[in-house]
Structure formats: structure tokens, C-alpha cells
Amino acid sequence: MRIIKQKTVQFLASTVALLFFISGGCADDRVINMEEFGTMDDGRPVQLFTLKNENRMEVSITNYGGIVTSIKVPDKNGNIDDVVLGFDNLEQYKAGHPYFGTITGRYANRIANGRFELNGEVYQLATNDGENHLHGGIEGFDKKLWDYEINNSENSVILRYLSPDGEEGYPGNLNVKVTYTLTEENELRIDYHATTDKPTVVNLTNHSYFNLSGEPTQVILDHLLTIHADRYTPVNEALIPTGELRHVEGTPFDFRTPEYIGTRIDSIPPGYDHNFVLNNPNQGVRNIATLKHEESGRVMEVYTDLPGVQLYTGNFLDGTIEDRNGHPIPQYAALCLETQLFPDSPNQPHFPPAVLNEGEAYETVTIYRFHTEQ
Ligand code: GLA
């Protein structure tokens, strides 16, 4: 009798321990950390979220600008480094920076003269890049405080922002939701969703600057890049597409097989800042680019369902901004692979359309997936 009782107690105890391990134990590692990151000028608190996975990958995101402040991944020897440009405090972001890790919108990239026509009406947007509109205008989504929600079971942070009708000149109230998820496959997955109550234009992206060496003072000219694009969109001096879809064959834009960033960059001063016309636009989410840094062994694969990607090699970085270790960030310190619709689409009828109507949903996904190779 007593023995049976003891066994029952033992059984119950181990069952409880097992249940604790399954539910609490595993979930514990996955609990998203939230800490205060500072305050907006009007006093609203800003948060910093840190997501972790079982492979020691860590991603930090703030609801100020939806900024990815940090992505930590191991190299081939297991050393963990931060592979994006960013800051450890809100003040540096508020002081101004070239879109480090931000969500850019309502329209990422440029709209010529900040003007476009939609259903017979001409809309004049804020101009903040000479005569042109760039990355949503003077106070784009990159400077907004987003509402947040944490989903521990999905390892996701959900950010929401309601962009009012007329903001920066855009028509329609736009309801935007961006979901950042860190998976056990070492993917930072970004799901974008938007709806409007009036026809408008939308193009959202994430503007992370990657340096897979983990050392921003070491330039990215030694990174090997592949982009699955047979064509790119040539631009004028103001970086507005001419409208041509030019074949990459024989140009510095041919990344169909892996090429070092540095091999041909001098032939297109000040560097790459171009949209690539991605192959297989109707295939849904597909691998569109791969970036590799041989010394650290880090590899980043990019997946998206979008038709374009902007390769920007940090041409305008000039040492005036300091990285999180206090070192000046030089030109070519990092590169962006901004998945997107083509720049200036609202004025280029033969580009994939950027119009969103009421009753429709803008829905796209981009995944940055990390691994190492020896
Ligand atoms: C984008 C643009 C660049 C530059 C950077 C931010 O990638 O295409 O021309 O404006 O943002 O500095």
C-alpha cells in the first residue's frame, strides 16, 4: 500500500516536473523581453523588445519607427556578433540617422517631385530629397511610435500604426500592421499588412543595414552577393528611375552569380543605390538574394514575394555618425537589401502597381535567414 502510494507520488511529481518543463521550461527561453527604451518628446514611453531562439540568435526591435536595432547571430566559430547598424539608446535615433533598421513608408524609396495622379486627382506629397519624396516624407513611419502587442507562442512582436488621411500628403486613412517573428530556423520574418478607406499608394520595407562581419568599421566590399534579377531599373542623377528595365548582362549590376560588392563598385560612383527587377515575380515567396561573408562564414538569404529590391551600399555614410561602440561609421560600412515595389511606381504605368483601394489588403512578407558555412 505504502509502496504504491510512494510510487503514485513519485509519478505525480515527475509528471508535474515534465509538464512544467514542456510548458514553462521551453517557453521560458522564448519569453520576449520588454524594457523601456526612452520617451517620445511628448512623454509617451518607448519600448525595446528582445526576441531569442534556441540557436542563440537574438533580435531587438523598438516600437519607435519599428526599428530593428540589433540582430545577433553566431559566426562559423560560434562567436556572436551584431550584424546590423544600430544604437543602444533612443536619443541617438531621435537625433537623426539614415533609416537604420526602420520600417519605411507610406511609400519607401522615391516619388518624383513628390507628386502623383490617382483616379484623376493630383496629390502633392512632402518633398525631403531635393525636389523628390523619399521614404514617406519629413516624418515617415520610421519616426512614429507604433502600438505593440507581444505573441510569445509565435515569438512575434506585432506593431500597428494608423496613418491619418492627408499625412505627408497621402490620401486615405491607412491602417498598418507589421509583424516581426524570430523563428527556430534563424529567420527574421517580417509580415506587412495594410488597409485603407480611400485609394492610396503603399510601399513598405525594412531598411536594415547589414555587415555580416559584425564589425561596422570593416567595410562590406568583401561581401559576396547574389541577386536573382535579370534586369534593373536605371536612374537619373536624382535616383529616379528612367522607366527602362535594362538587362544586367555585361553591367556592374549582374549579380546572377556571386560577386564581391567591391569588384565593380568604382565604376558606378558613389556606389550601388539601385532597384533590381527580381525574377519570377509571380512565384510568391522565393529566395531573391544571398549575402555571404567568407571570413566569418555568415550567410544571409533573403526571401520575399515582392517584385523588387533596392541594393544600397551605404554610399552616403561619411563617418559623422558613430556606431554603438563609439567608432565613426564609414562609407560602405553596411548594405541594405530593401525589398519593395519599384521606386516612383505611382508615376510609371508599366511598373507593378502600388495602388491600394478600400476593401483590399496590402500583404507582403520578407524573410532574412541566417546560417554559417565553413
Ligand atoms: C535609401 C535610398 C538612398 C538613401 C538611403 C538613406 O536606400 O535609396 O538613396 O537615401 O535610403 O540614406
Side-chain angles (χ1 to χ4, degrees):
M1 219 24 212
R2 248 179 80 195
I3 292 170
I4 291 172
K5 253 193 192 161
Q6 255 179 14
K7 285 215 162 142
T8 313
V9 169
Q10 266 171 11
F11 172 76
L12 280 175
S14 50
T15 310
V16 168
L18 185 69
L19 282 175
F20 174 79
F21 177 73
I22 290 169
S23 59
C26 287
D28 256 9
D29 300 337
R30 289 260 306 249
V31 168
I32 295 170
N33 185 63
M34 179 172 106
E35 62 194 289
E36 211 159 287
F37 197 45
T39 50
M40 298 291 282
D41 292 342
D42 60 12
R44 284 177 297 164
V46 178
Q47 310 298 336
L48 184 72
F49 306 95
T50 301
L51 290 66
K52 298 179 182 181
N53 73 8
E54 301 283 328
N55 313 314
R56 303 192 301 148
M57 180 170 169
E58 257 187 58
V59 176
S60 295
I61 293 154
T62 169
N63 62 328
Y64 173 75
I67 295 171
V68 175
T69 64
S70 155
I71 299 180
K72 291 181 183 161
V73 285
D75 69 5
K76 62 183 175 191
N77 301 317
N79 301 314
I80 311 258
D81 288 302
D82 208 320
V83 295
V84 289
L85 298 186
F87 308 126
D88 294 329
N89 63 79
L90 182 63
E91 291 317 308
Q92 264 179 294
Y93 285 108
K94 281 174 34 186
H97 64 106
Y99 305 91
F100 288 168
T102 59
I103 297 171
T104 52
R106 185 179 299 200
Y107 198 94
N109 217 306
R110 292 172 177 78
I111 296 179
N113 303 308
R115 199 176 307 130
F116 66 96
E117 198 186 308
L118 184 56
N119 301 333
E121 236 181 283
V122 174
Y123 293 95
Q124 179 62 55
L125 306 173
T127 51
N128 58 329
D129 189 47
E131 288 172 353
N132 302 316
H133 176 91
L134 174 67
H135 291 332
I138 296 159
E139 200 180 297
F141 293 178
D142 58 289
K143 296 180 188 69
K144 302 294 181 188
L145 185 66
W146 294 62
D147 293 331
Y148 62 86
E149 196 186 306
I150 290 174
N151 184 333
N152 277 315
S153 59
E154 296 292 332
N155 213 13
S156 298
V157 173
I158 301 144
L159 301 177
R160 287 192 174 83
Y161 176 65
L162 171 63
S163 171
D165 187 12
E167 186 175 55
E168 300 289 329
Y170 290 104
N173 291 297
L174 189 77
N175 246 306
V176 190
K177 178 170 110 173
V178 176
T179 307
Y180 284 112
T181 306
L182 175 61
T183 73
E184 290 304 324
E185 286 70 50
N186 289 356
E187 298 165 328
L188 173 60
R189 179 187 166 105
I190 314 173
D191 286 274
Y192 300 89
H193 182 272
T195 54
T196 182
D197 58 2
K198 210 170 162 183
T200 189
V201 294
V202 187
N203 183 29
L204 304 175
T205 194
N206 177 275
H207 207 296
S208 285
Y209 285 69
F210 298 98
N211 181 326
L212 299 184
S213 78
E215 181 40 75
T217 54
Q218 202 175 304
V219 296
I220 44 77
L221 301 179
D222 63 350
H223 282 43
L224 269 173
L225 179 65
T226 312
I227 302 181
H228 300 294
D230 293 341
R231 286 166 200 279
Y232 76 105
T233 50
V235 287
N236 67 18
E237 327 67 63
L239 299 174
I240 300 289
T242 59
E244 187 191 347
L245 305 180
R246 191 179 293 171
H247 209 280
V248 295
E249 180 83 49
T251 75
F253 302 95
D254 192 348
F255 284 100
R256 292 174 297 174
T257 53
E259 267 297 343
Y260 292 103
I261 298 288
T263 313
R264 302 160 301 185
I265 198 166
D266 288 344
S267 64
I268 45 147
Y272 293 97
D273 196 353
H274 296 81
N275 170 64
F276 288 73
V277 179
L278 298 170
N279 298 341
N280 307 313
N282 302 319
Q283 238 176 47
V285 180
R286 73 250 188 249
N287 173 228
I288 59 110
T290 301
L291 186 66
K292 181 172 178 183
H293 179 244
E294 292 166 307
E295 204 183 312
S296 65
R298 291 194 182 96
V299 180
M300 180 180 80
E301 293 166 298
V302 187
Y303 297 79
T304 190
D305 50 4
L306 283 164
V309 70
Q310 183 88 1
L311 168 62
Y312 171 59
T313 45
N315 314 333
F316 306 129
L317 299 171
D318 59 4
T320 52
I321 300 180
E322 290 181 352
D323 67 20
R324 58 182 102 235
N325 305 315
H327 301 131
I329 300 175
Q331 187 183 42
Y332 309 142
L335 66 83
C336 305
L337 287 162
E338 306 156 56
T339 54
Q340 61 182 359
L341 297 170
F342 303 172
D344 199 32
S345 296
N347 294 308
Q348 310 255 5
H350 60 294
F351 284 1
V355 175
L356 181 70
N357 295 303
E358 59 271 46
E360 297 173 351
Y362 168 94
E363 247 166 18
T364 77
V365 55
T366 292
I367 297 165
Y368 296 102
R369 180 179 190 159
F370 296 86
H371 69 270
T372 57
E373 285 172 8
Q374 280 308 313

